[in-house]
Amino acid sequence: MGNSPSDGSEDGGCDDLTTVYNEIIPCPVGGTLPIEEPMPDVSADVSLASNANMMFSPALKSPSLGTSGSAFSPVRRTRKRSKKALAISSSSSSSSSSLVSPPLQHQQPQPQAPLGHPPRSKPKPKPKPKPKSKSIFGFNQHDENVDPNSNSASSSHPPPIQTSGTVSYVCHDDEDNPQTSSCDAKTINGTKCYIIDAKTGCFVFQLLTPEECRSLIQSAESHVQSSAGGSGWRKLYTYTKMDLPMQDLANAGVVDEQGQNIKESLMRRICSVVASYYGCSASALRPRTWKEPHFLKYSTDVAPPHCGVEMHYDGCNITWNLMLSDETDYDGGGTYIRCLRKTVKLLQGQVLIHPGELFHKGVDITRGTRYLAVCFVDGHDPEIQDISSSKGNHELWEKNTVTYFS
Ligand SMILES: O=C(O)CCC(=O)C(=O)O
Ligand SMILES: [Fe+2]
């Protein structure tokens, strides 16, 4: 964790994980390199939208010897924010109930400091204030009946999504009282998606079985401990300490039982749901860099412990987080989404989708080990601008946890 803790405030105290990381990365073969290193584009594989419910059998071959590094030519990408975005803020009321959705502000993005900032150690030229946008694009959330290119996005209200019933979920208020509630659901490719918040495009769905999750954890762990993988968990991003690009497994020849590349298989399955939900083409969606997707491990049992990540935004278009651990493996944890004032606690095998512009944090675990697979995805901008405030009782709101049961 190179940087000092950040609260993600509007005054610039926030972090764009991908931007920050894009400065220096430990090179797979040692040393450091500026990134990004071009890698084979897997987007073509994503175009084959597959059923997200299909059986994933990552009974993996043991890692074979293979190069986990190559010569990379550094290419910098500059982060750009959409000028036309739906501005999302925290609720102005101080409701502490996770049942209450914060109202949206459909307002013109004001010239303001960018939500992300470059690493403090490397001053960068001040970004020019953004011109005021005349029109506000609504949340570009489509269902099958909505034309993604229609002008409805410019209305002051996001188009309603077509839901297919409701599902129950359990939330704990800030005093830890469990309550059952229900939310809208939408079935995509036979997959039930729990809609956490339609306005921002945050949703959850079940992807993997516990067995599949355990198998993925085991392949990651055996890779970092094997003489082939060797180098242990890597530090890919500013606020994380134990990461592993899935590409490392591919480089070591690790595939699933069908002989498929794990990262491509996950991308294909998850992006087919994401694309249908957001109304874009699955083939447009691609991992932001070769490091995506990556495994992320938190543990209280390492020295020093790595328990969570600070408030930040990912800086990509859309992020997916796949929970690999069983909920009994750890206490605490979850993904706190600032504008929603709630912490999403995924069950094993569930995926959380959220726009990469939303401020969020990995809530600290207080016991055990929590594994995720995470991917920063580009290729479709949901045009959500998070203007929620760092001020307010986020410590309290963080305790509003929501869990979606099948
Ligand atoms: O730990 C979590 O739930 C979130 C992780 C995260 O935000 C990230 O890796 O970018
Ligand atoms: Fe993140």
Side-chain angles (χ1 to χ4, degrees), residues 130-148:
K130 278 188 235 146
K132 281 189 184 179
S133 168
K134 283 270 186 313
S135 65
I136 303 303
F137 276 26
F139 173 47
N140 207 14
Q141 182 175 26
H142 311 288
D143 57 37
E144 293 79 4
N145 300 325
V146 180
D147 174 4

mmCIF file of all heavy atoms in Angstrom, residues 130-148:
data_model
loop_
_atom_site.group_PDB
_atom_site.id
_atom_site.type_symbol
_atom_site.label_atom_id
_atom_site.label_comp_id
_atom_site.label_asym_id
_atom_site.label_seq_id
_atom_site.Cartn_x
_atom_site.Cartn_y
_atom_site.Cartn_z
ATOM 1 N N LYS A 130 -13.701 20.671 -16.200
ATOM 2 C CA LYS A 130 -14.536 20.154 -17.274
ATOM 3 C C LYS A 130 -15.592 21.165 -17.649
ATOM 4 O O LYS A 130 -16.184 21.788 -16.772
ATOM 5 C CB LYS A 130 -15.228 18.872 -16.821
ATOM 6 C CG LYS A 130 -14.344 17.687 -16.949
ATOM 7 C CD LYS A 130 -15.155 16.455 -16.677
ATOM 8 C CE LYS A 130 -14.474 15.672 -15.586
ATOM 9 N NZ LYS A 130 -15.356 15.001 -14.725
ATOM 10 N N PRO A 131 -15.847 21.327 -18.934
ATOM 11 C CA PRO A 131 -16.929 22.244 -19.314
ATOM 12 C C PRO A 131 -18.253 21.682 -18.842
ATOM 13 O O PRO A 131 -18.427 20.480 -18.779
ATOM 14 C CB PRO A 131 -16.865 22.243 -20.849
ATOM 15 C CG PRO A 131 -16.119 21.011 -21.213
ATOM 16 C CD PRO A 131 -15.240 20.653 -20.048
ATOM 17 N N LYS A 132 -19.153 22.609 -18.526
ATOM 18 C CA LYS A 132 -20.471 22.145 -18.107
ATOM 19 C C LYS A 132 -21.155 21.452 -19.269
ATOM 20 O O LYS A 132 -21.114 21.922 -20.390
ATOM 21 C CB LYS A 132 -21.321 23.329 -17.659
ATOM 22 C CG LYS A 132 -20.974 23.781 -16.263
ATOM 23 C CD LYS A 132 -21.980 24.799 -15.792
ATOM 24 C CE LYS A 132 -21.562 25.316 -14.431
ATOM 25 N NZ LYS A 132 -22.491 26.335 -13.938
ATOM 26 N N SER A 133 -21.766 20.362 -18.948
ATOM 27 C CA SER A 133 -22.460 19.620 -19.982
ATOM 28 C C SER A 133 -23.884 20.119 -20.083
ATOM 29 O O SER A 133 -24.532 20.370 -19.081
ATOM 30 C CB SER A 133 -22.434 18.146 -19.605
ATOM 31 O OG SER A 133 -23.310 17.448 -20.418
ATOM 32 N N LYS A 134 -24.338 20.296 -21.302
ATOM 33 C CA LYS A 134 -25.691 20.821 -21.490
ATOM 34 C C LYS A 134 -26.737 19.742 -21.210
ATOM 35 O O LYS A 134 -27.744 19.994 -20.599
ATOM 36 C CB LYS A 134 -25.863 21.320 -22.914
ATOM 37 C CG LYS A 134 -25.214 22.677 -23.155
ATOM 38 C CD LYS A 134 -26.225 23.777 -22.852
ATOM 39 C CE LYS A 134 -25.749 25.171 -23.199
ATOM 40 N NZ LYS A 134 -24.430 25.550 -22.769
ATOM 41 N N SER A 135 -26.468 18.547 -21.709
ATOM 42 C CA SER A 135 -27.470 17.513 -21.499
ATOM 43 C C SER A 135 -26.925 16.453 -20.564
ATOM 44 O O SER A 135 -25.727 16.206 -20.500
ATOM 45 C CB SER A 135 -27.837 16.870 -22.829
ATOM 46 O OG SER A 135 -26.710 16.205 -23.336
ATOM 47 N N ILE A 136 -27.823 15.854 -19.843
ATOM 48 C CA ILE A 136 -27.424 14.823 -18.902
ATOM 49 C C ILE A 136 -27.882 13.492 -19.456
ATOM 50 O O ILE A 136 -29.057 13.291 -19.729
ATOM 51 C CB ILE A 136 -28.113 15.039 -17.546
ATOM 52 C CG1 ILE A 136 -27.784 16.417 -17.016
ATOM 53 C CG2 ILE A 136 -27.697 13.964 -16.557
ATOM 54 C CD1 ILE A 136 -26.340 16.696 -16.868
ATOM 55 N N PHE A 137 -26.968 12.625 -19.625
ATOM 56 C CA PHE A 137 -27.363 11.296 -20.072
ATOM 57 C C PHE A 137 -27.854 10.511 -18.876
ATOM 58 O O PHE A 137 -27.210 10.474 -17.845
ATOM 59 C CB PHE A 137 -26.173 10.576 -20.706
ATOM 60 C CG PHE A 137 -25.972 10.928 -22.139
ATOM 61 C CD1 PHE A 137 -26.399 12.139 -22.648
ATOM 62 C CD2 PHE A 137 -25.352 10.049 -22.982
ATOM 63 C CE1 PHE A 137 -26.218 12.452 -23.969
ATOM 64 C CE2 PHE A 137 -25.165 10.360 -24.314
ATOM 65 C CZ PHE A 137 -25.600 11.569 -24.816
ATOM 66 N N GLY A 138 -28.981 9.899 -19.058
ATOM 67 C CA GLY A 138 -29.475 9.042 -17.992
ATOM 68 C C GLY A 138 -28.674 7.765 -17.961
ATOM 69 O O GLY A 138 -27.850 7.503 -18.833
ATOM 70 N N PHE A 139 -28.921 7.010 -16.988
ATOM 71 C CA PHE A 139 -28.244 5.729 -16.865
ATOM 72 C C PHE A 139 -28.603 4.877 -18.068
ATOM 73 O O PHE A 139 -29.757 4.669 -18.383
ATOM 74 C CB PHE A 139 -28.675 5.060 -15.561
ATOM 75 C CG PHE A 139 -28.149 3.670 -15.429
ATOM 76 C CD1 PHE A 139 -26.823 3.405 -15.696
ATOM 77 C CD2 PHE A 139 -28.986 2.648 -15.077
ATOM 78 C CE1 PHE A 139 -26.338 2.132 -15.582
ATOM 79 C CE2 PHE A 139 -28.496 1.366 -14.965
ATOM 80 C CZ PHE A 139 -27.175 1.110 -15.220
ATOM 81 N N ASN A 140 -27.591 4.401 -18.708
ATOM 82 C CA ASN A 140 -27.778 3.724 -19.971
ATOM 83 C C ASN A 140 -28.096 2.260 -19.737
ATOM 84 O O ASN A 140 -27.394 1.375 -20.176
ATOM 85 C CB ASN A 140 -26.476 3.869 -20.772
ATOM 86 C CG ASN A 140 -26.724 3.803 -22.235
ATOM 87 O OD1 ASN A 140 -27.864 3.912 -22.666
ATOM 88 N ND2 ASN A 140 -25.673 3.624 -22.994
ATOM 89 N N GLN A 141 -29.129 2.046 -18.972
ATOM 90 C CA GLN A 141 -29.433 0.670 -18.599
ATOM 91 C C GLN A 141 -30.606 0.178 -19.431
ATOM 92 O O GLN A 141 -31.684 0.716 -19.404
ATOM 93 C CB GLN A 141 -29.789 0.613 -17.137
ATOM 94 C CG GLN A 141 -30.060 -0.785 -16.688
ATOM 95 C CD GLN A 141 -30.282 -0.784 -15.211
ATOM 96 O OE1 GLN A 141 -30.682 0.207 -14.645
ATOM 97 N NE2 GLN A 141 -30.043 -1.897 -14.602
ATOM 98 N N HIS A 142 -30.358 -0.850 -20.174
ATOM 99 C CA HIS A 142 -31.353 -1.279 -21.142
ATOM 100 C C HIS A 142 -31.800 -2.689 -20.843
ATOM 101 O O HIS A 142 -31.061 -3.495 -20.345
ATOM 102 C CB HIS A 142 -30.760 -1.271 -22.540
ATOM 103 C CG HIS A 142 -30.064 -0.001 -22.855
ATOM 104 N ND1 HIS A 142 -30.737 1.170 -23.077
ATOM 105 C CD2 HIS A 142 -28.763 0.284 -22.942
ATOM 106 C CE1 HIS A 142 -29.863 2.128 -23.316
ATOM 107 N NE2 HIS A 142 -28.657 1.622 -23.242
ATOM 108 N N ASP A 143 -33.000 -2.949 -21.212
ATOM 109 C CA ASP A 143 -33.364 -4.346 -21.299
ATOM 110 C C ASP A 143 -33.589 -4.643 -22.769
ATOM 111 O O ASP A 143 -33.322 -3.815 -23.628
ATOM 112 C CB ASP A 143 -34.585 -4.684 -20.428
ATOM 113 C CG ASP A 143 -35.759 -3.832 -20.792
ATOM 114 O OD1 ASP A 143 -35.934 -3.550 -21.994
ATOM 115 O OD2 ASP A 143 -36.500 -3.442 -19.882
ATOM 116 N N GLU A 144 -34.065 -5.795 -23.028
ATOM 117 C CA GLU A 144 -34.155 -6.226 -24.422
ATOM 118 C C GLU A 144 -35.059 -5.307 -25.247
ATOM 119 O O GLU A 144 -34.952 -5.263 -26.461
ATOM 120 C CB GLU A 144 -34.691 -7.659 -24.495
ATOM 121 C CG GLU A 144 -33.746 -8.708 -23.916
ATOM 122 C CD GLU A 144 -33.774 -8.789 -22.400
ATOM 123 O OE1 GLU A 144 -34.584 -8.077 -21.774
ATOM 124 O OE2 GLU A 144 -32.976 -9.562 -21.841
ATOM 125 N N ASN A 145 -35.928 -4.583 -24.587
ATOM 126 C CA ASN A 145 -36.878 -3.764 -25.337
ATOM 127 C C ASN A 145 -36.424 -2.326 -25.510
ATOM 128 O O ASN A 145 -37.134 -1.514 -26.057
ATOM 129 C CB ASN A 145 -38.243 -3.758 -24.618
ATOM 130 C CG ASN A 145 -38.790 -5.161 -24.522
ATOM 131 O OD1 ASN A 145 -38.588 -5.949 -25.433
ATOM 132 N ND2 ASN A 145 -39.441 -5.483 -23.424
ATOM 133 N N VAL A 146 -35.283 -2.025 -25.004
ATOM 134 C CA VAL A 146 -34.840 -0.642 -25.077
ATOM 135 C C VAL A 146 -33.693 -0.533 -26.061
ATOM 136 O O VAL A 146 -32.732 -1.292 -25.989
ATOM 137 C CB VAL A 146 -34.382 -0.148 -23.682
ATOM 138 C CG1 VAL A 146 -33.912 1.286 -23.764
ATOM 139 C CG2 VAL A 146 -35.511 -0.294 -22.682
ATOM 140 N N ASP A 147 -33.834 0.401 -26.950
ATOM 141 C CA ASP A 147 -32.784 0.594 -27.936
ATOM 142 C C ASP A 147 -31.613 1.321 -27.269
ATOM 143 O O ASP A 147 -31.755 2.449 -26.811
ATOM 144 C CB ASP A 147 -33.346 1.440 -29.087
ATOM 145 C CG ASP A 147 -32.277 1.801 -30.097
ATOM 146 O OD1 ASP A 147 -31.134 1.337 -29.940
ATOM 147 O OD2 ASP A 147 -32.603 2.549 -31.030
ATOM 148 N N PRO A 148 -30.460 0.685 -27.235
ATOM 149 C CA PRO A 148 -29.332 1.314 -26.570
ATOM 150 C C PRO A 148 -28.967 2.661 -27.178
ATOM 151 O O PRO A 148 -28.371 3.494 -26.529
ATOM 152 C CB PRO A 148 -28.185 0.326 -26.760
ATOM 153 C CG PRO A 148 -28.785 -0.942 -27.251
ATOM 154 C CD PRO A 148 -30.150 -0.619 -27.784
#
